Amino acid sequence: MKNLTPFPIVKKGKGALIYLNDGRILIDSISSWWSVIHGYNHPELNAEIKKQTNKIAHVMLGGLTHEPAIKLAEKLIQITPKSLNHVFFSDSGSVAVEVSLKMAVQYWVNLGLPEKNKFLSLKNGYHGDTFKAMEISDDSDFVKAFDRVLSKNLFLSPPNESFNQKNIDAEIEILEDTLSKNHHEIAAFILEPIVQCAGGFKIYSPLYLKAVKKLCNQYNVLLIFDEVATGFGRTGKLFAMQHAKVSPDILILGKALTAGYLGHAATIASSKIYNSFLGNGYEKAFMHGPTFMGNPLACAIALKSIEIFEKNNYLIKIKKIEKIIKKEFSPINSIIVKEKRILGAIGAIELIDKKFLIGFQEFALNKSIWIRPIGSVIYIMPPYIIKKQQLIKIIEVIKLWISITDSKLKKSNKKLT
Ligand SMILES: *Cc1c(COP(=O)(O)O)cnc(C)c1O
């Protein structure tokens, strides 16, 4: 806070554009933290939220239920893998992650194996900012202050070459070794399938996810997929796990679920998990009740968002976005670029040092682009309705920054020699 300049004040949004009070108009390259997939101020979503508001804006989901919650649960069960049949609503991705972890621990308690209470997760993973989510996340800037409060989690490195990497034997060997030594105390393996987003947009091979599935089965460890960021088309499939054709015991959805209109999330479990919580009293029951779980406005918006996604063939739109990013990224070639990573509507450029991004956000803002790099990674995750020319403009500004920085560096290197 000490070093911040005042933020631009937003007046309104429309499509992929953010309008500021001072008259400037920005192209949003990151969908407001990856949630606003249909763009801002969407007429159908606006109409839906008004319609639902005129019926009921909120009612508790304890002891009562309502049509938007029932219909959304049914829809989520329909579009997710066959084995996932039970939905628990909460108000944010982090809470939905907590819910999944609590479910995993209590599943083993209910089965009489309380010693299975630890978690396995991935280096570079990010699962939210609440306490247990921090424990299983690998992000030192976010968790450093809480080192003494957090207990130690087991982290594994996913293969890190590319989506197409074939030889992942070393990573599988470590995974198998870890599971064979520790499985009797591990409740679950939680991971972001295929793309680790906040941890720097690292993309790993679906073969690894297949191996994780197989070995978790073999060693009796539950599998949790956190698709809060990757869900709803972001990686080119409706869900990232579909690249590997595997399903988890518990799936977490958030962010794009409600198209950026309201905070809501879902934790979806298999019948195997669900059945273990059935009993005659509260002993086995899952005791968690977020006040705004299943909020009718959020559920109505989520349903409408999925309807728009299906009706307008969004997966084709996303393929087109991927093609444009690939084409526009391909000439980028600089000594400051370490790697380019593209999958679906995600494009990331990792630089060799984050110092080469000092001033970049302001540079882009002055050229009407809203973008926020993470560490040494410039990334774009545009709304799926973005126009081709808008997307090209975003990438042009990135290219311009890279070429200016590249020539500055070359000049100063020349001076040195
Ligand atoms: C954003 C994110 C979360 C946390 O969601 P919030 O709604 O911000 O609490 C959890 N997991 C992943 C993979 C995320 O990207």
Side-chain angles (χ1 to χ4, degrees), residues 34 92-94 126-128 192 226 228-229 255:
W34 331 334
S92 76
S94 302
Y126 173 80
H127 299 284
E192 294 159 275
D226 179 351
V228 171
K255 288 195 167 99

Side-chain angles (χ1 to χ4, degrees), residues 122-125 157-166 168 171 191-209 230 234-236 240 243-244 322 325-326 329 339-350 377-381:
L122 290 183
K123 291 226 169 88
N124 290 312
S157 293
N160 60 10
E161 273 167 34
S162 75
F163 184 83
N164 295 314
Q165 187 178 356
K166 290 282 174 287
I168 53 165
E171 288 80 10
L191 69 174
E192 294 159 275
I194 311 296
V195 188
Q196 301 184 283
C197 290
F201 298 90
K202 301 232 187 318
I203 301 175
Y204 62 85
S205 162
L207 294 174
Y208 186 68
L209 208 58
T230 52
R234 190 48 76 177
T235 69
H243 289 287
E322 181 177 49
I325 298 176
K326 276 192 177 148
F329 271 20
E339 193 174 50
K340 295 178 264 182
R341 299 188 282 268
I342 302 161
L343 190 66
I346 304 174
I349 301 175
E350 182 171 351
V377 181
I378 302 175
Y379 77 91
I380 54 177
M381 270 176 139

Side-chain angles (χ1 to χ4, degrees), residues 259-294:
Y261 271 68
L262 286 157
H264 225 65
T267 307
I268 312 175
S270 67
S271 295
K272 172 176 107 174
I273 305 291
Y274 176 84
N275 289 334
S276 78
F277 287 84
L278 299 178
N280 291 323
Y282 274 165
E283 261 154 69
K284 284 194 167 180
F286 188 63
M287 304 302 282
H288 195 117
T291 304
F292 293 106
M293 69 188 301

Side-chain angles (χ1 to χ4, degrees), residues 100-141:
S100 77
L101 301 175
K102 287 173 72 173
M103 276 182 187
V105 167
Q106 196 178 343
Y107 169 81
W108 294 113
V109 169
N110 287 352
L111 257 60
L113 291 168
E115 63 281 8
K116 276 172 84 75
N117 56 33
K118 303 232 167 356
F119 292 97
L120 196 57
S121 56
L122 290 183
K123 291 226 169 88
N124 290 312
Y126 173 80
H127 299 284
D129 297 338
T130 49
F131 269 103
K132 203 69 183 174
M134 279 198 286
E135 246 171 50
I136 54 161
S137 298
D138 178 28
D139 187 337
S140 55
D141 276 353

